[in-house]
Amino acid sequence: MFESVTIKDIAKALGVSTSTVSRALNGSYEIGTETKKLVLEYAEKINYRPNPIALSLKEQKSHSIGVVVCEVANDYFSQAINGIESIAYNRGYHVIITQTHESFDRESANVKHLLSRHVDGLLVSLAAQTTDTSQYKYLLDKGFPIVFFDRAAPDLNTHKVVADNFQGSFNGTETLINSGFAKIAHLTNSNNLLISHERFDGYKAALDKHGIELRPEYIKHCNHGGMIQDEVELVLKELMALDDRPEAIFIGSDRLTISSMSILKKWGFKVPGDIAIAGFTNSDVVELFDPPLTVIRQPAFQIGQMATEMLIKTIESKWPVEEFTTEKVDTQLIVRSSSNKA
């Protein structure tokens, strides 16, 4: 069994007090140069490392940040996590990442686990199943630092960093309209998520602007956000089996966009000949697809960085933070041939 060396062990070996060892290790000016040198050389020789848990209990800080996301394999979230880590590690914070796989129960369990690890704050992107945000409200009321990114809780008063989902969705839908399509379906994430509402509103606004009637049978939700292939196949089957089926689909989530493209091609539909596609995704491989995919790309890395800056500022604030902001970041429309009229 591994046994770590403690300050007491060093003090005993050198015949000095534990407080002398502690001050020497922390670089205190109250300790003489010779004593400090003696302690530091001995500590290095026996490979002494401070116990981070003991330090966090003493300082009431663990210098760690908890991250709650649906899945790390998602292109958007992997890029956001890179942004989070790029800031956190430079500021002396470790990052503990947990995945919800779109489950509310797993999200709750992850938050409890992160709190048991004494994280200093949380960066949260809600699971698709989450409708009850009371655990976050309880923590925020106690002054615990939480910043939401991407999938924010609309009713909670704290910092948030989100993409301009409405405008991104509007731009993507209008691209399909400008290509000559009028029968445009919308496939999106769980209706529980604020981003789903914002992206639907952008889609609807583009239809309204061009005098195209909204057709309820063209709106489909995937409550697991594309993580369950059967769910995506079912809604696509329903759309493609309609007597007056859509000519194009605007897709409102990263994983759904990729899944839909591969399922439709597997079934023998030609894109864009039989069905045109545009959608949100941060995947770097979509330009290599046949055809290359028209996408709305979110600045995930930047969103991760901004959320982390906000969280660390809140953690390190000497006074309770009572004024909060929601930062909205522009998306990027990249038009390729999947949205062209054949």
Side-chain angles (χ1 to χ4, degrees), residues 313-321:
K313 194 175 175 185
T314 305
I315 289 167
E316 295 182 351
S317 173
K318 289 186 167 61
W319 310 104
V321 178

Side-chain angles (χ1 to χ4, degrees), residues 68 107-108 111 122 124-126 130 132-141 144 146 148 153 156:
V68 180
E107 180 176 298
S108 296
V111 169
L122 292 173
V124 179
S125 187
L126 294 172
T130 299
D132 177 7
T133 56
S134 57
Q135 66 174 341
Y136 299 116
K137 185 176 188 317
Y138 173 82
L139 291 168
L140 289 165
D141 288 347
F144 189 80
I146 301 173
F148 287 98
L156 296 180

Side-chain angles (χ1 to χ4, degrees), residues 141-159:
D141 288 347
K142 298 276 185 191
F144 189 80
I146 301 173
V147 173
F148 287 98
F149 70 102
D150 185 49
R151 302 166 170 195
D155 54 331
L156 296 180
N157 191 25
T158 187
H159 289 308

Side-chain angles (χ1 to χ4, degrees), residues 50-62 116-118:
N51 181 337
I53 296 170
L55 279 176
S56 74
L57 290 172
K58 184 182 172 192
E59 299 175 7
Q60 291 297 300
K61 282 211 179 348
S62 63
S116 76
R117 299 276 295 270
H118 300 287

Side-chain angles (χ1 to χ4, degrees), residues 44-302:
E44 193 169 334
K45 179 181 156 192
I46 61 169
N47 200 29
Y48 167 76
R49 294 287 177 272
N51 181 337
I53 296 170
L55 279 176
S56 74
L57 290 172
K58 184 182 172 192
E59 299 175 7
Q60 291 297 300
K61 282 211 179 348
S62 63
H63 295 284
S64 61
I65 289 168
V67 179
V68 180
V69 294
C70 66
E71 60 166 350
V72 176
N74 180 303
D75 291 297
Y76 171 86
F77 287 111
S78 66
Q79 291 162 25
I81 287 164
N82 285 342
I84 289 166
E85 290 186 329
S86 74
I87 298 295
Y89 288 125
N90 283 338
R91 298 285 294 273
Y93 287 83
H94 287 280
V95 177
I96 305 170
I97 299 158
T98 64
Q99 303 182 93
T100 65
H101 297 288
E102 304 292 19
S103 159
F104 168 71
D105 291 338
R106 191 173 287 202
E107 180 176 298
S108 296
N110 288 349
V111 169
K112 288 186 179 75
H113 173 71
L114 290 167
L115 294 172
S116 76
R117 299 276 295 270
H118 300 287
V119 294
D120 297 331
L122 292 173
L123 290 168
V124 179
S125 187
L126 294 172
Q129 287 183 5
T130 299
T131 54
D132 177 7
T133 56
S134 57
Q135 66 174 341
Y136 299 116
K137 185 176 188 317
Y138 173 82
L139 291 168
L140 289 165
D141 288 347
K142 298 276 185 191
F144 189 80
I146 301 173
V147 173
F148 287 98
F149 70 102
D150 185 49
R151 302 166 170 195
D155 54 331
L156 296 180
N157 191 25
T158 187
H159 289 308
K160 298 162 191 173
V161 187
V162 296
D164 191 342
N165 293 300
F166 175 91
Q167 194 61 47
S169 197
F170 180 92
N171 294 345
T173 307
E174 190 168 58
T175 295
L176 290 166
I177 295 168
N178 290 340
S179 290
F181 299 106
K183 294 189 280 188
I184 304 168
H186 182 43
L187 177 58
T188 192
N189 223 317
S190 165
N191 205 33
N192 295 334
L193 295 169
L194 177 63
I195 59 167
S196 298
H197 292 266
E198 291 172 342
R199 291 175 185 179
F200 170 77
D201 289 345
Y203 158 81
K204 182 177 181 298
L207 297 184
D208 290 345
K209 178 185 169 183
H210 292 271
I212 299 169
E213 187 183 348
L214 179 75
R215 298 173 62 165
E217 69 271 25
Y218 280 3
I219 314 301
K220 297 291 179 185
H221 290 276
C222 284
N223 290 331
H224 296 90
M227 294 187 72
I228 298 175
Q229 187 89 343
D230 289 352
E231 183 183 43
V232 188
E233 290 191 0
L234 177 65
V235 296
L236 286 173
K237 257 183 199 148
E238 288 171 355
L239 282 175
M240 302 311 283
L242 289 169
D243 289 337
D244 189 15
R245 79 178 193 207
E247 310 163 297
I249 309 176
F250 178 69
I251 306 170
S253 114
D254 200 302
R255 187 179 266 279
L256 281 176
T257 300
I258 304 294
S259 298
S260 298
M261 181 83 163
S262 61
I263 291 167
L264 289 166
K265 291 196 77 176
K266 181 179 76 177
W267 290 347
F269 288 103
K270 289 186 176 61
V271 179
D274 297 320
I275 186 89
I277 291 178
F280 277 83
T281 184
N282 271 46
S283 171
D284 291 322
V285 299
V286 290
E287 63 185 301
L288 305 175
F289 282 18
D290 180 23
L293 201 56
T294 292
V295 299
I296 292 84
R297 192 177 174 91
Q298 301 175 79
F301 186 85
Q302 183 191 352

